[in-house]
Amino acid sequence: MNTTLDLAGLGIGPFNLSIAALLTEQPQTNAAFFDQKDNFNWHPGMLLPGVRMQTSYLKDLVTGVSPTNTYSFLNYLVKNRRFYQFLSAELTAVGRKEYADYLSWVSAQLPSVNFNHAIETVEYKNSAFQLTFSNGAQHTARNLCLGTGKQPYIPDSAKPHLGAHCFHAIDIAKRKLDFTGKSIAIIGGGQTGAEILETIMDKHWGMPRDVHWLSRRQNFEPLDESPFTNEFFTPQYVDTFFHQDEHTKDRVMHSQKLASDGISPDTLKSIYRKLYEFNIDSSIGFNLSMRPNREMFGLEKTGASYQISALNGLTQKAEVSQADIVILCTGFDFSLPQYLEPIKDRLNLDSKGRYTLGESFHVDWDGPKENRIYAVNAGRHSHGIAEPQMSLMCWRSARIINDLMGKEVFDLSQSLDMVEWVTENPPALGLVG
Protein backbone atom coordinates (compact mmCIF):
# COMPACT_ATOMS: atom_id res chain seq x y z
CA MET A 1 0.00 0.00 0.00
CA ASN A 2 1.31 3.44 -0.95
CA THR A 3 1.59 6.48 1.30
CA THR A 4 -1.79 7.97 2.12
CA LEU A 5 -2.68 10.72 -0.34
CA ASP A 6 -4.08 14.05 0.76
CA LEU A 7 -6.28 14.02 -2.35
CA ALA A 8 -7.09 11.39 -4.97
CA GLY A 9 -8.76 12.61 -8.15
CA LEU A 10 -10.80 10.04 -10.04
CA GLY A 11 -11.04 10.88 -13.72
CA ILE A 12 -8.64 13.13 -15.62
CA GLY A 13 -10.63 15.56 -17.68
CA PRO A 14 -10.15 19.34 -17.83
CA PHE A 15 -11.72 19.88 -14.40
CA ASN A 16 -9.48 17.55 -12.38
CA LEU A 17 -6.56 18.59 -14.61
CA SER A 18 -7.15 22.16 -13.46
CA ILE A 19 -6.92 21.10 -9.82
CA ALA A 20 -3.75 19.12 -10.55
CA ALA A 21 -2.17 22.12 -12.30
CA LEU A 22 -2.98 24.51 -9.45
CA LEU A 23 -1.74 22.05 -6.85
CA THR A 24 1.75 22.27 -8.36
CA GLU A 25 1.92 25.54 -6.40
CA GLN A 26 1.37 23.55 -3.18
CA PRO A 27 4.20 20.98 -3.17
CA GLN A 28 3.41 20.04 0.45
CA THR A 29 0.14 18.51 -0.73
CA ASN A 30 0.37 14.86 -1.74
CA ALA A 31 -2.15 14.45 -4.56
CA ALA A 32 -2.59 11.96 -7.39
CA PHE A 33 -5.11 11.73 -10.21
CA PHE A 34 -6.20 8.54 -11.95
CA ASP A 35 -7.93 7.65 -15.22
CA GLN A 36 -8.63 4.46 -17.14
CA LYS A 37 -7.43 5.96 -20.45
CA ASP A 38 -4.00 5.18 -21.90
CA ASN A 39 -3.21 8.89 -22.13
CA PHE A 40 -4.96 12.22 -21.94
CA ASN A 41 -7.64 12.96 -24.50
CA TRP A 42 -10.58 15.30 -24.39
CA HIS A 43 -13.68 14.20 -26.28
CA PRO A 44 -11.61 12.95 -29.24
CA GLY A 45 -14.77 11.64 -30.86
CA MET A 46 -16.13 15.18 -31.16
CA LEU A 47 -13.07 16.95 -32.59
CA LEU A 48 -14.65 17.69 -35.95
CA PRO A 49 -12.87 19.87 -38.54
CA GLY A 50 -13.07 23.58 -37.84
CA VAL A 51 -15.06 23.46 -34.58
CA ARG A 52 -14.23 26.15 -32.04
CA MET A 53 -14.57 26.75 -28.34
CA GLN A 54 -17.46 28.79 -26.99
CA THR A 55 -15.41 30.25 -24.14
CA SER A 56 -12.42 32.58 -24.05
CA TYR A 57 -8.93 31.05 -24.04
CA LEU A 58 -8.27 33.10 -20.88
CA LYS A 59 -10.76 30.86 -19.09
CA ASP A 60 -8.20 28.09 -19.08
CA LEU A 61 -7.02 25.71 -16.36
CA VAL A 62 -5.35 28.33 -14.15
CA THR A 63 -5.33 31.94 -15.38
CA GLY A 64 -8.43 33.21 -13.58
CA VAL A 65 -6.89 32.56 -10.15
CA SER A 66 -3.18 32.21 -10.86
CA PRO A 67 -2.11 33.98 -14.08
CA THR A 68 1.59 33.30 -13.49
CA ASN A 69 1.08 29.54 -13.25
CA THR A 70 3.21 27.55 -15.69
CA TYR A 71 0.17 25.82 -17.16
CA SER A 72 -1.70 28.77 -18.66
CA PHE A 73 -2.85 28.79 -22.28
CA LEU A 74 -0.66 31.82 -22.97
CA ASN A 75 2.41 29.97 -21.71
CA TYR A 76 1.41 27.02 -23.92
CA LEU A 77 1.48 29.38 -26.91
CA VAL A 78 4.87 30.79 -25.92
CA LYS A 79 6.42 27.36 -25.31
CA ASN A 80 5.11 26.15 -28.67
CA ARG A 81 6.51 29.25 -30.40
CA ARG A 82 3.31 30.59 -31.90
CA PHE A 83 2.28 33.41 -29.54
CA TYR A 84 2.68 36.21 -32.10
CA GLN A 85 1.00 34.26 -34.90
CA PHE A 86 -1.91 33.53 -32.56
CA LEU A 87 -2.30 37.25 -31.95
CA SER A 88 -2.04 38.08 -35.64
CA ALA A 89 -4.74 35.54 -36.49
CA GLU A 90 -7.19 37.59 -34.37
CA LEU A 91 -9.21 34.48 -33.59
CA THR A 92 -12.57 35.17 -31.99
CA ALA A 93 -12.50 31.66 -30.55
CA VAL A 94 -9.82 29.01 -30.14
CA GLY A 95 -10.14 25.87 -32.25
CA ARG A 96 -11.19 22.88 -30.19
CA LYS A 97 -8.31 20.80 -31.53
CA GLU A 98 -5.79 23.42 -30.38
CA TYR A 99 -7.44 23.59 -26.96
CA ALA A 100 -7.33 19.80 -26.70
CA ASP A 101 -3.63 19.94 -27.55
CA TYR A 102 -3.14 22.52 -24.78
CA LEU A 103 -4.78 20.20 -22.27
CA SER A 104 -2.59 17.29 -23.42
CA TRP A 105 0.48 19.52 -23.14
CA VAL A 106 -0.38 20.24 -19.51
CA SER A 107 -1.16 16.63 -18.72
CA ALA A 108 2.17 15.43 -20.12
CA GLN A 109 4.06 17.64 -17.65
CA LEU A 110 2.21 16.77 -14.45
CA PRO A 111 3.77 13.95 -12.42
CA SER A 112 0.58 13.60 -10.38
CA VAL A 113 -1.52 12.19 -13.24
CA ASN A 114 -1.72 8.42 -13.68
CA PHE A 115 -3.28 6.71 -16.67
CA ASN A 116 -4.21 3.04 -17.17
CA HIS A 117 -5.86 3.15 -13.75
CA ALA A 118 -9.54 2.20 -14.03
CA ILE A 119 -11.16 2.67 -10.64
CA GLU A 120 -13.19 -0.35 -9.50
CA THR A 121 -14.23 0.38 -5.92
CA VAL A 122 -14.07 3.11 -3.32
CA GLU A 123 -14.41 2.00 0.28
CA TYR A 124 -14.03 3.85 3.55
CA LYS A 125 -11.90 2.12 6.18
CA ASN A 126 -9.62 3.20 8.98
CA SER A 127 -10.35 6.93 8.57
CA ALA A 128 -9.49 7.01 4.87
CA PHE A 129 -10.77 6.06 1.44
CA GLN A 130 -9.45 2.79 0.06
CA LEU A 131 -9.17 2.79 -3.73
CA THR A 132 -8.90 -0.39 -5.77
CA PHE A 133 -8.06 -0.27 -9.47
CA SER A 134 -8.55 -2.87 -12.20
CA ASN A 135 -4.79 -3.18 -12.74
CA GLY A 136 -4.39 -4.38 -9.15
CA ALA A 137 -3.11 -1.08 -7.77
CA GLN A 138 -4.42 0.14 -4.43
CA HIS A 139 -4.21 3.59 -2.90
CA THR A 140 -5.39 5.26 0.27
CA ALA A 141 -6.57 8.85 0.33
CA ARG A 142 -7.90 11.22 2.99
CA ASN A 143 -10.00 13.10 0.42
CA LEU A 144 -11.45 12.44 -3.03
CA CYS A 145 -12.38 14.55 -6.04
CA LEU A 146 -14.83 12.81 -8.37
CA GLY A 147 -14.38 13.82 -12.00
CA THR A 148 -15.31 10.77 -14.04
CA GLY A 149 -17.82 12.70 -16.11
CA LYS A 150 -21.38 12.20 -17.27
CA GLN A 151 -22.83 9.56 -19.55
CA PRO A 152 -24.36 10.15 -23.00
CA TYR A 153 -28.12 10.53 -22.74
CA ILE A 154 -29.98 8.07 -24.98
CA PRO A 155 -33.75 8.50 -25.43
CA ASP A 156 -35.66 5.34 -24.50
CA SER A 157 -37.01 4.90 -28.02
CA ALA A 158 -33.46 4.86 -29.42
CA LYS A 159 -31.88 2.40 -26.96
CA PRO A 160 -32.95 -0.77 -28.85
CA HIS A 161 -31.45 0.55 -32.08
CA LEU A 162 -27.97 1.65 -31.02
CA GLY A 163 -25.33 0.49 -33.45
CA ALA A 164 -23.53 1.43 -36.64
CA HIS A 165 -26.46 3.44 -38.02
CA CYS A 166 -27.98 4.86 -34.84
CA PHE A 167 -25.51 6.35 -32.38
CA HIS A 168 -24.75 9.15 -29.94
CA ALA A 169 -22.60 11.99 -31.28
CA ILE A 170 -19.94 11.53 -28.56
CA ASP A 171 -17.72 9.43 -30.84
CA ILE A 172 -18.73 10.56 -34.32
CA ALA A 173 -15.25 11.82 -35.26
CA LYS A 174 -13.79 8.36 -34.62
CA ARG A 175 -16.32 6.52 -36.78
CA LYS A 176 -15.66 5.54 -40.38
CA LEU A 177 -18.73 7.04 -42.01
CA ASP A 178 -19.95 7.33 -45.57
CA PHE A 179 -23.15 9.31 -45.98
CA THR A 180 -23.10 9.19 -49.77
CA GLY A 181 -26.63 8.79 -51.08
CA LYS A 182 -28.01 8.29 -47.54
CA SER A 183 -30.77 10.00 -45.63
CA ILE A 184 -29.48 11.43 -42.33
CA ALA A 185 -31.41 12.55 -39.24
CA ILE A 186 -29.77 14.76 -36.61
CA ILE A 187 -31.70 14.70 -33.34
CA GLY A 188 -30.90 17.66 -31.10
CA GLY A 189 -30.68 21.40 -31.69
CA GLY A 190 -27.69 22.43 -29.61
CA GLN A 191 -24.12 23.26 -30.57
CA THR A 192 -23.19 19.62 -31.25
CA GLY A 193 -26.05 19.16 -33.67
CA ALA A 194 -25.11 22.38 -35.44
CA GLU A 195 -21.45 21.37 -35.75
CA ILE A 196 -22.38 17.98 -37.18
CA LEU A 197 -24.77 19.55 -39.67
CA GLU A 198 -22.10 22.01 -40.83
CA THR A 199 -19.60 19.16 -41.21
CA ILE A 200 -22.14 17.25 -43.31
CA MET A 201 -22.76 20.37 -45.41
CA ASP A 202 -19.03 20.46 -46.12
CA LYS A 203 -19.32 16.87 -47.49
CA HIS A 204 -16.84 15.58 -44.94
CA TRP A 205 -18.57 12.19 -45.02
CA GLY A 206 -19.64 12.31 -48.67
CA MET A 207 -22.74 13.73 -50.35
CA PRO A 208 -25.92 12.57 -48.61
CA ARG A 209 -29.30 12.35 -50.32
CA ASP A 210 -31.05 14.41 -47.68
CA VAL A 211 -30.63 15.58 -44.09
CA HIS A 212 -33.28 16.29 -41.45
CA TRP A 213 -32.29 18.38 -38.43
CA LEU A 214 -34.82 18.04 -35.60
CA SER A 215 -34.77 20.19 -32.50
CA ARG A 216 -37.35 20.37 -29.73
CA ARG A 217 -36.44 24.03 -29.22
CA GLN A 218 -38.73 26.56 -30.84
CA ASN A 219 -35.99 27.61 -33.24
CA PHE A 220 -32.28 27.07 -33.86
CA GLU A 221 -31.43 29.46 -31.10
CA PRO A 222 -28.13 31.32 -30.57
CA LEU A 223 -25.91 31.27 -27.53
CA ASP A 224 -26.47 34.44 -25.53
CA GLU A 225 -22.99 35.94 -25.10
CA SER A 226 -24.04 39.46 -24.16
CA PRO A 227 -22.23 41.16 -21.25
CA PHE A 228 -24.99 40.98 -18.65
CA THR A 229 -25.76 37.36 -19.49
CA ASN A 230 -22.08 36.59 -18.96
CA GLU A 231 -22.54 37.83 -15.40
CA PHE A 232 -24.17 34.43 -14.75
CA PHE A 233 -20.64 33.07 -15.14
CA THR A 234 -19.08 35.03 -12.29
CA PRO A 235 -18.24 33.88 -8.76
CA GLN A 236 -20.63 36.47 -7.32
CA TYR A 237 -23.60 35.04 -9.18
CA VAL A 238 -22.74 31.41 -8.40
CA ASP A 239 -22.55 32.24 -4.69
CA THR A 240 -25.91 34.02 -4.85
CA PHE A 241 -27.53 31.18 -6.81
CA PHE A 242 -26.25 28.53 -4.40
CA HIS A 243 -28.21 29.96 -1.48
CA GLN A 244 -31.60 29.88 -3.23
CA ASP A 245 -34.20 27.15 -2.67
CA GLU A 246 -34.57 24.19 -5.03
CA HIS A 247 -37.73 25.47 -6.72
CA THR A 248 -36.13 28.83 -7.46
CA LYS A 249 -33.01 27.18 -8.85
CA ASP A 250 -34.99 24.96 -11.23
CA ARG A 251 -37.06 27.91 -12.45
CA VAL A 252 -34.06 30.17 -12.97
CA MET A 253 -31.95 27.55 -14.75
CA HIS A 254 -34.74 26.87 -17.23
CA SER A 255 -34.88 30.57 -18.12
CA GLN A 256 -31.08 30.71 -18.57
CA LYS A 257 -30.78 27.80 -21.01
CA LEU A 258 -29.44 29.84 -23.93
CA ALA A 259 -26.73 31.36 -21.76
CA SER A 260 -24.91 28.02 -21.79
CA ASP A 261 -26.61 25.74 -24.28
CA GLY A 262 -27.30 27.84 -27.37
CA ILE A 263 -25.57 27.62 -30.72
CA SER A 264 -22.61 29.84 -31.54
CA PRO A 265 -23.86 32.78 -33.67
CA ASP A 266 -20.92 32.26 -36.06
CA THR A 267 -21.97 28.63 -36.56
CA LEU A 268 -25.58 29.62 -37.22
CA LYS A 269 -24.51 32.28 -39.70
CA SER A 270 -22.26 29.82 -41.53
CA ILE A 271 -25.06 27.22 -41.76
CA TYR A 272 -27.57 29.80 -43.00
CA ARG A 273 -25.22 31.06 -45.70
CA LYS A 274 -24.55 27.53 -46.92
CA LEU A 275 -28.27 26.79 -46.86
CA TYR A 276 -28.86 29.89 -49.00
CA GLU A 277 -26.20 28.76 -51.48
CA PHE A 278 -27.76 25.29 -51.61
CA ASN A 279 -31.09 26.84 -52.58
CA ILE A 280 -29.54 29.03 -55.26
CA ASP A 281 -27.47 26.23 -56.83
CA SER A 282 -28.91 22.78 -56.17
CA SER A 283 -25.90 21.12 -57.80
CA ILE A 284 -23.67 21.97 -54.83
CA GLY A 285 -25.98 20.71 -52.09
CA PHE A 286 -28.58 18.18 -51.03
CA ASN A 287 -32.11 18.23 -49.67
CA LEU A 288 -31.95 19.80 -46.23
CA SER A 289 -34.94 19.96 -43.92
CA MET A 290 -34.60 22.26 -40.90
CA ARG A 291 -37.22 21.22 -38.32
CA PRO A 292 -37.28 23.12 -35.03
CA ASN A 293 -40.03 22.66 -32.42
CA ARG A 294 -40.14 18.91 -32.99
CA GLU A 295 -39.72 16.49 -30.11
CA MET A 296 -38.96 12.90 -31.01
CA PHE A 297 -41.23 10.46 -29.19
CA GLY A 298 -40.69 7.33 -31.25
CA LEU A 299 -37.98 5.56 -33.24
CA GLU A 300 -38.63 2.31 -35.05
CA LYS A 301 -36.65 0.19 -37.47
CA THR A 302 -38.38 -0.28 -40.82
CA GLY A 303 -36.30 -2.54 -43.03
CA ALA A 304 -32.90 -0.94 -43.55
CA SER A 305 -34.01 2.49 -42.36
CA TYR A 306 -35.57 4.16 -39.32
CA GLN A 307 -38.95 5.78 -38.87
CA ILE A 308 -38.83 8.85 -36.64
CA SER A 309 -42.00 10.09 -34.97
CA ALA A 310 -41.96 13.63 -33.63
CA LEU A 311 -44.49 16.00 -32.15
CA ASN A 312 -44.68 19.41 -33.82
CA GLY A 313 -44.87 21.85 -30.93
CA LEU A 314 -46.49 24.51 -33.10
CA THR A 315 -49.33 22.44 -34.57
CA GLN A 316 -49.42 19.78 -31.83
CA LYS A 317 -49.55 17.15 -34.57
CA ALA A 318 -47.36 14.10 -35.02
CA GLU A 319 -44.96 14.03 -37.97
CA VAL A 320 -43.10 11.04 -39.41
CA SER A 321 -39.81 11.00 -41.31
CA GLN A 322 -37.43 8.33 -42.57
CA ALA A 323 -33.65 8.13 -42.22
CA ASP A 324 -30.91 5.63 -42.98
CA ILE A 325 -28.70 7.01 -40.22
CA VAL A 326 -29.77 8.60 -36.92
CA ILE A 327 -27.29 10.78 -35.00
CA LEU A 328 -28.29 11.50 -31.39
CA CYS A 329 -27.09 14.93 -30.26
CA THR A 330 -29.02 14.53 -27.04
CA GLY A 331 -26.47 15.63 -24.47
CA PHE A 332 -25.31 13.97 -21.29
CA ASP A 333 -26.85 12.89 -18.03
CA PHE A 334 -25.64 12.32 -14.48
CA SER A 335 -25.46 8.81 -13.07
CA LEU A 336 -23.83 7.70 -9.84
CA PRO A 337 -20.52 5.99 -10.67
CA GLN A 338 -20.55 2.24 -10.03
CA TYR A 339 -17.30 2.45 -8.07
CA LEU A 340 -19.12 4.35 -5.30
CA GLU A 341 -21.46 1.42 -4.60
CA PRO A 342 -19.64 0.40 -1.37
CA ILE A 343 -20.30 3.85 0.16
CA LYS A 344 -23.51 4.75 -1.69
CA ASP A 345 -25.65 4.41 1.44
CA ARG A 346 -23.46 6.98 3.17
CA LEU A 347 -24.01 9.66 0.53
CA ASN A 348 -26.80 12.19 0.88
CA LEU A 349 -28.47 12.11 -2.56
CA ASP A 350 -31.44 14.22 -3.61
CA SER A 351 -34.74 12.89 -4.98
CA LYS A 352 -33.19 12.60 -8.46
CA GLY A 353 -30.18 10.60 -7.25
CA ARG A 354 -27.75 13.54 -7.50
CA TYR A 355 -25.12 14.60 -4.99
CA THR A 356 -26.08 17.16 -2.38
CA LEU A 357 -23.17 19.58 -2.66
CA GLY A 358 -21.86 22.16 -0.21
CA GLU A 359 -20.68 25.60 -1.24
CA SER A 360 -17.12 24.35 -1.79
CA PHE A 361 -18.32 21.50 -4.03
CA HIS A 362 -18.07 18.83 -1.35
CA VAL A 363 -20.58 15.99 -1.23
CA ASP A 364 -22.77 15.73 1.84
CA TRP A 365 -22.11 12.33 3.42
CA ASP A 366 -22.19 10.80 6.89
CA GLY A 367 -18.42 10.45 7.25
CA PRO A 368 -15.99 12.65 9.19
CA LYS A 369 -15.53 16.23 8.03
CA GLU A 370 -11.80 15.54 7.83
CA ASN A 371 -12.51 13.25 4.87
CA ARG A 372 -14.08 15.24 2.08
CA ILE A 373 -15.55 13.98 -1.20
CA TYR A 374 -15.47 16.76 -3.80
CA ALA A 375 -17.28 16.49 -7.13
CA VAL A 376 -16.81 18.45 -10.36
CA ASN A 377 -19.24 18.63 -13.29
CA ALA A 378 -21.95 17.34 -10.97
CA GLY A 379 -23.50 20.47 -9.47
CA ARG A 380 -25.53 22.27 -12.10
CA HIS A 381 -28.58 21.79 -9.91
CA SER A 382 -26.85 23.31 -6.88
CA HIS A 383 -24.42 25.91 -8.30
CA GLY A 384 -26.12 26.90 -11.55
CA ILE A 385 -25.43 26.84 -15.28
CA ALA A 386 -21.76 27.82 -14.92
CA GLU A 387 -20.87 24.67 -12.99
CA PRO A 388 -20.47 22.23 -15.93
CA GLN A 389 -18.86 24.90 -18.13
CA MET A 390 -15.18 25.83 -18.40
CA SER A 391 -15.88 29.48 -17.65
CA LEU A 392 -15.33 29.14 -13.88
CA MET A 393 -13.24 25.98 -13.98
CA CYS A 394 -10.13 27.36 -12.27
CA TRP A 395 -12.18 29.35 -9.75
CA ARG A 396 -13.95 26.18 -8.68
CA SER A 397 -10.59 24.34 -8.53
CA ALA A 398 -9.15 27.07 -6.31
CA ARG A 399 -12.19 26.95 -4.06
CA ILE A 400 -11.79 23.20 -3.65
CA ILE A 401 -8.09 23.60 -2.89
CA ASN A 402 -8.78 26.34 -0.33
CA ASP A 403 -11.29 24.06 1.37
CA LEU A 404 -8.91 21.11 1.21
CA MET A 405 -6.06 23.12 2.75
CA GLY A 406 -8.30 24.77 5.34
CA LYS A 407 -6.97 28.21 4.46
CA GLU A 408 -7.10 30.83 1.70
CA VAL A 409 -4.36 29.59 -0.60
CA PHE A 410 -5.93 31.47 -3.50
CA ASP A 411 -7.52 34.89 -3.08
CA LEU A 412 -11.00 34.52 -4.56
CA SER A 413 -12.39 37.87 -3.47
CA GLN A 414 -13.92 40.05 -6.18
CA SER A 415 -13.86 43.85 -6.20
CA LEU A 416 -16.43 44.60 -8.92
CA ASP A 417 -20.15 43.87 -8.69
CA MET A 418 -21.68 44.95 -11.99
CA VAL A 419 -25.11 43.57 -11.10
CA GLU A 420 -26.91 43.65 -7.76
CA TRP A 421 -28.40 40.15 -7.63
CA VAL A 422 -29.96 40.57 -4.20
CA THR A 423 -30.63 43.60 -2.05
CA GLU A 424 -29.67 43.46 1.60
CA ASN A 425 -32.46 44.59 3.94
CA PRO A 426 -34.89 45.63 1.18
CA PRO A 427 -37.53 48.15 2.25
CA ALA A 428 -40.89 46.68 3.22
CA LEU A 429 -43.60 46.97 0.59
CA GLY A 430 -46.66 48.93 1.61
CA LEU A 431 -49.87 50.16 0.11
CA VAL A 432 -49.96 53.67 -1.30
CA GLY A 433 -53.19 55.55 -0.87
Side-chain angles (χ1 to χ4, degrees):
M1 190 71 71
N2 297 297
T3 303
T4 299
L5 298 167
D6 296 314
L7 179 70
L10 302 180
I12 304 176
F15 295 156
N16 262 345
L17 193 64
S18 171
I19 295 173
L22 288 172
L23 278 176
T24 59
E25 301 178 29
Q26 308 301 319
Q28 73 276 23
T29 303
N30 183 18
F33 298 81
F34 305 94
D35 198 291
Q36 64 180 347
K37 299 189 295 284
D38 294 337
N39 50 56
F40 184 87
N41 57 61
W42 178 56
H43 292 318
M46 298 184 73
L47 295 180
L48 297 171
V51 296
R52 298 197 173 278
M53 299 290 293
Q54 289 184 298
T55 55
S56 167
Y57 61 86
L58 291 178
K59 296 179 178 180
D60 61 14
L61 298 172
V62 296
T63 296
V65 296
S66 184
T68 59
N69 187 288
T70 300
Y71 303 109
S72 70
F73 183 79
L74 289 178
N75 193 42
Y76 158 78
L77 291 174
V78 171
K79 295 299 183 182
N80 284 276
R81 302 179 180 88
R82 58 174 185 266
F83 173 79
Y84 296 103
Q85 288 70 31
F86 179 85
L87 293 182
S88 296
E90 296 184 354
L91 297 170
T92 57
V94 176
R96 200 173 295 171
K97 285 191 176 182
E98 182 175 29
Y99 199 80
D101 187 65
Y102 155 64
L103 297 175
S104 295
W105 173 80
V106 173
S107 172
Q109 300 178 74
L110 295 176
S112 61
V113 302
N114 301 271
F115 295 102
N116 293 307
H117 278 69
I119 182 68
E120 286 195 338
T121 59
V122 173
E123 300 176 272
Y124 184 76
K125 298 177 181 177
N126 303 320
S127 301
F129 297 102
Q130 311 295 325
L131 312 179
T132 302
F133 297 88
S134 60
N135 61 4
Q138 291 184 316
H139 289 273
T140 303
R142 297 183 185 88
N143 303 279
L144 300 177
C145 189
L146 311 179
T148 42
K150 297 180 180 180
Q151 300 301 313
Y153 171 71
I154 308 295
D156 289 340
S157 60
K159 289 178 181 177
H161 308 296
L162 292 178
H165 299 112
C166 177
F167 52 87
H168 193 276
I170 182 66
D171 61 354
I172 190 169
K174 296 193 294 184
R175 291 176 176 267
K176 294 182 179 180
L177 300 171
D178 184 1
F179 291 167
T180 304
K182 302 288 181 63
S183 176
I184 314 298
I186 302 170
I187 311 299
Q191 180 69 20
T192 299
E195 290 173 355
I196 289 174
L197 175 64
E198 187 172 17
T199 304
I200 294 174
M201 295 176 87
D202 290 336
K203 289 86 169 183
H204 180 71
W205 296 296
M207 174 76 85
R209 183 175 71 254
D210 51 62
V211 175
H212 311 287
W213 186 18
L214 281 70
S215 172
R216 64 181 178 181
R217 305 178 192 189
Q218 293 187 23
N219 203 343
F220 300 106
E221 298 170 321
L223 181 73
D224 186 349
E225 300 177 288
S226 56
F228 287 103
T229 295
N230 282 336
E231 284 291 306
F232 294 149
F233 300 89
T234 61
Q236 297 96 316
Y237 181 78
V238 173
D239 286 341
T240 302
F241 182 93
F242 177 81
H243 292 288
Q244 307 311 306
D245 61 70
E246 183 177 351
H247 175 74
T248 299
K249 289 179 179 180
D250 289 343
R251 173 178 56 80
V252 169
M253 278 196 299
H254 179 74
S255 70
Q256 295 173 348
K257 185 176 181 66
L258 294 179
S260 64
D261 197 25
I263 303 169
S264 166
D266 287 341
T267 302
L268 285 175
K269 187 178 294 184
S270 176
I271 289 173
Y272 195 92
R273 286 173 174 170
K274 289 173 182 175
L275 180 61
Y276 179 80
E277 291 169 358
F278 281 15
N279 280 280
I280 295 298
D281 185 355
S282 60
S283 67
I284 65 172
F286 44 82
N287 295 321
L288 179 54
S289 175
M290 310 283 283
R291 300 184 183 181
N293 215 348
R294 270 80 161 187
E295 183 164 8
M296 185 179 76
F297 64 83
L299 182 66
E300 298 178 0
K301 191 77 181 289
T302 57
S305 62
Y306 300 92
Q307 178 176 288
I308 303 161
S309 300
L311 179 67
N312 186 316
L314 190 62
T315 66
Q316 289 298 297
K317 293 181 179 180
E319 298 177 352
V320 176
S321 55
Q322 299 287 131
D324 301 313
I325 296 174
V326 177
I327 305 170
L328 302 169
C329 304
T330 45
F332 300 85
D333 206 5
F334 173 82
S335 61
L336 196 71
Q338 186 62 35
Y339 59 76
L340 291 179
E341 192 63 32
I343 62 171
K344 178 180 177 180
D345 292 342
R346 307 192 65 174
L347 305 177
N348 181 12
L349 305 178
D350 68 10
S351 59
K352 297 181 181 179
R354 303 171 299 192
Y355 304 128
T356 300
L357 294 180
E359 200 164 7
S360 295
F361 304 93
H362 55 274
V363 177
D364 185 17
W365 77 303
D366 69 1
K369 292 182 179 181
E370 294 76 24
N371 302 119
R372 291 285 178 105
I373 304 173
Y374 301 99
V376 293
N377 195 17
R380 189 175 186 271
H381 61 290
S382 58
H383 289 74
I385 60 170
E387 200 279 338
Q389 308 295 322
M390 291 193 181
S391 296
L392 288 178
M393 171 170 57
C394 65
W395 170 81
R396 176 184 53 203
S397 298
R399 192 157 198 171
I400 289 173
I401 292 171
N402 284 356
D403 191 71
L404 175 72
M405 304 288 286
K407 60 182 180 179
E408 193 179 70
V409 176
F410 295 99
D411 180 7
L412 301 182
S413 60
Q414 304 291 315
S415 62
L416 283 179
D417 287 319
M418 306 298 284
V419 176
E420 188 176 292
W421 297 112
V422 295
T423 302
E424 298 296 332
N425 302 316
L429 297 177
L431 296 176
V432 178

